């Protein structure tokens, strides 16, 4: 036995098993980490090592020549395993979707498929030329004429393929972009060698061939800058003050998730049309996919805000009513008075006082998710719920929103305005369309000054709500500040 045979025998007996064990440990570690390269190492050990060991035995221990049929078959199997393993390496290093590991490289799907095809064709050409001794030049020459015929038959397919590569290098869009192509608008979900697929807002899939895409105009809403300006056009009657309208719409935009505060919404007069004034409302979003829902919520907020502020949206319709007798349209103050009389905590007040409160109150309506009161800000009015529900909430020590309590018909909030130097301890958000009585601060404060028993009852409500807020925050071990002293001057004034 010569020295070369001995060395190869040691490599086969000791080297490959030791390397296989090392790879097994590495594979187990990478699998626990969720690393995509675990599959690559597993293919090396399970697919490449067996034919490699057999080929080394044939060549270096048995001395079989390269022209031996069985040696050629085994070497072909080895290179076939190499193709599969190389593709698994590409699958681990490159990705066409979301990265599983931070170091993965994101590439377009068309380029990824091209790289895989290049690996397969390159190794297949080597196997044919070097192992099976096929003259590839004659094969290519024979395919020349056939390729011309195929090119003519597949010119549309080749056009799509070439256009696909041009799209990759120019990169006018990528997966996740929101685009408009012709009349089709949607999110790009796939780019391949033949076509681009987009999902519309109606969740329909539109397939656009690359050849068509290369000749068309592409409007990319999210490329380079994710900000997008949306415009609404609303007509109001001309007797309503423009400054007031602009302020109401500006306030309606505040707090809507998705509408950016920087740059701020811009409201301006567009034109005058008869008795109407047309306004353009421009606002910015950074998530185009949610534009429809953001626009719908904004219009809902404008509807409720304009109703509360007695601003009239001009509607180009005509309605005619006929009555057999003069209709009783109702008096809001009468409805307010009836509501106040039905509330137990107002029983200690005389009718004259309640009538004064009713004269200074209005009925206001709020839509779902509107935030009427924000923690840390001063209450704008004393609210009594006629219909609907609200949620009182605080932010806990972990910066998570926690619900304090839910209020419904007959309940009230905004009591912190009685302590003129104290902001609200809770946020109040509508969870079901709200209809509420809003009593002006001066009116309710005057009632408290003149009615010590009512002041004491309000003080108890304030203390109770403060304790509930502290408990929701996670600081219930602390005793809340007593407001008895804060209202004592109101009682002593009598």
């Amino acid at each position: 036995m010569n020295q070369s045979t001995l060395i190869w025998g040691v490599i086969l007996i000791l080297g490959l098993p030791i390397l296989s064990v090392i790879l097994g440990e590495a594979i187990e570690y990478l699998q626990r980490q969720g690393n995509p390269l675990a599959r690559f190492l597993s293919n090396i050990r399970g697919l490449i090592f067996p034919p490699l060991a057999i080929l080394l035995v044939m060549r270096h221990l048995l001395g079989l020549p390269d022209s031996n049929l069985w040696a050629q078959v085994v070497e072909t199997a080895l290179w076939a395993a190499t193709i599969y393993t190389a593709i698994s390496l590409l699958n681990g290093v490159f990705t066409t979707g979301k990265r599983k590991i931070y170091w993965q490289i994101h590439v377009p799907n068309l380029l990824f498929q091209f790289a895989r095809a290049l690996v397969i064709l390159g190794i297949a050409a080597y196997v044919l030329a070097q192992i099976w001794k096929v003259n590839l030049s004659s094969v290519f020459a024979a395919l020349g004429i056939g390729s011309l015929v195929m090119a003519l038959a597949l010119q549309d397919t080749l056009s799509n393929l070439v256009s696909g590569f041009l799209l990759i290098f120019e990169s006018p869009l990528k997966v996740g972009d929101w685009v408009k192509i012709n009349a089709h608008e949607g999110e790009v979900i796939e780019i391949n060698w033949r076509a681009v697929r987009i999902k519309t807002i109606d969740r329909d899939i539109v397939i656009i061939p690359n050849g068509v895409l290369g000749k068309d105009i592409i409007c990319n809403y999210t490329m380079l800058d994710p900000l997008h300006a949306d415009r609404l056009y609303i007509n109001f009657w001309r007797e309503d003050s423009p400054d007031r309208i602009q302020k109401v719409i500006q306030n309606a935009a505040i707090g809507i998730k998705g509408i950016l505060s920087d740059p701020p919404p811009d409201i301006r007069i567009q034109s005058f049309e008869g008795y109407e004034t047309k306004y353009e409302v421009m606002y910015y979003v950074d998530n185009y996919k949610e534009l429809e829902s953001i626009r719908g919520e904004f219009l809902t907020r404008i509807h409720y805000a304009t109703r509360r502020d007695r601003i009239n949206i001009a509607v180009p319709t005509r309605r005619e009513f006929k009555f057999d007798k003069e209709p009783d349209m109702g008096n809001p103050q009468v409805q307010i008075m009836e509501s106040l009389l039905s509330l137990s905590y107002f029983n200690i007040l005389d009718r004259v006082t309640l009538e004064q409160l009713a004269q200074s109150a209005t009925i206001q309506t709020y839509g779902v998710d509107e935030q009427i009161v924000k923690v840390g800000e001063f209450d704008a009015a004393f609210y009594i719920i006629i219909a609907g529900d609200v949620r009182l909430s605080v932010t806990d020590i972990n910066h998570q929103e926690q619900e304090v309590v839910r209020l419904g018909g007959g309940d009230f909030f905004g009591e912190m305005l009685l302590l003129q130097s104290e902001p609200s301890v809770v946020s109040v958000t509508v969870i079901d369309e709200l209809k509420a009585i809003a009593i002006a601060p001066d009116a309710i404060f005057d009632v408290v000054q003149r009615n010590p028993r009512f002041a004491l009852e309000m003080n108890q409500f304030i203390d109770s709500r403060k304790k509930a807020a502290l408990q929701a925050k996670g600081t219930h071990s602390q005793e809340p500040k007593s407001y008895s002293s804060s209202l004592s001057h109101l009682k002593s004034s009598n």
Side-chain angles (χ1 to χ4, degrees), residues 212-392:
V212 174
L213 198 64
K215 301 174 184 178
D216 218 329
I217 296 175
I218 303 173
C219 179
N220 194 321
Y221 295 113
T222 52
M223 185 178 183
L224 301 179
D225 187 359
L227 265 64
H228 174 77
D230 188 40
R231 289 175 171 83
L232 300 175
Y233 296 94
I234 308 174
N235 286 18
F236 295 93
W237 295 119
R238 290 183 64 176
E239 60 264 22
D240 292 322
S241 166
D243 289 341
R244 186 158 155 257
I245 290 173
Q246 290 169 352
K247 183 179 180 180
V248 167
I249 295 177
Q250 194 86 28
N251 290 337
I254 296 174
I256 296 180
K257 187 178 180 181
I259 293 183
L260 303 180
S261 57
D262 185 22
D266 182 33
I267 301 101
R268 63 181 66 185
I269 293 177
Q270 182 77 9
S271 62
F272 297 102
E273 302 173 357
Y275 294 100
E276 304 172 11
T277 303
K278 184 178 182 180
Y279 288 80
E280 179 189 62
V281 182
M282 183 172 67
Y283 60 96
Y284 293 86
V285 300
D286 58 3
N287 186 355
Y288 192 87
K289 186 176 182 179
E290 301 297 327
L291 179 60
E292 291 289 331
S293 60
I294 293 171
R295 182 188 296 150
E297 184 176 357
F298 191 19
L299 287 171
T300 301
R301 294 285 181 89
I302 291 174
H303 167 78
Y304 284 108
T306 53
R307 284 186 62 185
R308 289 194 299 270
D309 284 76
R310 305 295 190 271
I311 295 175
N312 301 302
I313 296 178
V315 181
T317 59
R318 179 181 177 181
R319 294 184 297 177
E320 183 176 344
F321 298 92
K322 292 183 179 180
F323 298 94
D324 294 334
K325 60 181 180 178
E326 188 68 21
D328 181 10
M329 301 305 291
N331 187 339
Q333 264 59 45
V334 173
Q335 184 180 358
I336 293 172
M337 186 63 183
E338 290 176 354
S339 298
L340 296 182
L341 288 170
S342 67
L343 300 174
S344 60
Y345 46 85
F346 281 137
N347 287 343
I348 58 177
L349 300 178
D350 58 60
R351 188 177 183 89
V352 174
T353 302
L354 291 178
E355 288 176 351
Q356 291 173 350
L357 283 177
Q359 291 300 320
S360 63
T362 58
I363 296 178
Q364 297 186 355
T365 307
Y366 295 86
V368 175
D369 290 333
E370 282 199 78
Q371 194 171 67
I372 305 172
V373 178
K374 188 174 182 180
V375 64
E377 296 183 357
F378 293 96
D379 293 328
F382 186 86
Y383 298 92
I384 301 170
I385 300 175
I386 299 176
D389 299 287
V390 297
R391 178 180 65 248
L392 275 60

Side-chain angles (χ1 to χ4, degrees), residues 79-121:
W79 282 109
T82 302
I83 290 175
Y84 187 82
T85 304
I87 290 177
S88 69
L89 176 62
L90 292 177
N91 293 339
V93 175
F94 301 101
T95 178
T96 59
K98 187 177 180 181
R99 291 187 179 95
K100 297 180 180 178
I101 304 293
Y102 72 93
W103 48 258
Q104 282 187 305
I105 302 172
H106 185 274
V107 295
N109 185 56
L110 179 58
L111 190 59
F112 183 61
Q113 299 298 338
F114 178 75
R116 295 172 69 174
L118 196 62
V119 169
I120 295 172
L121 293 177

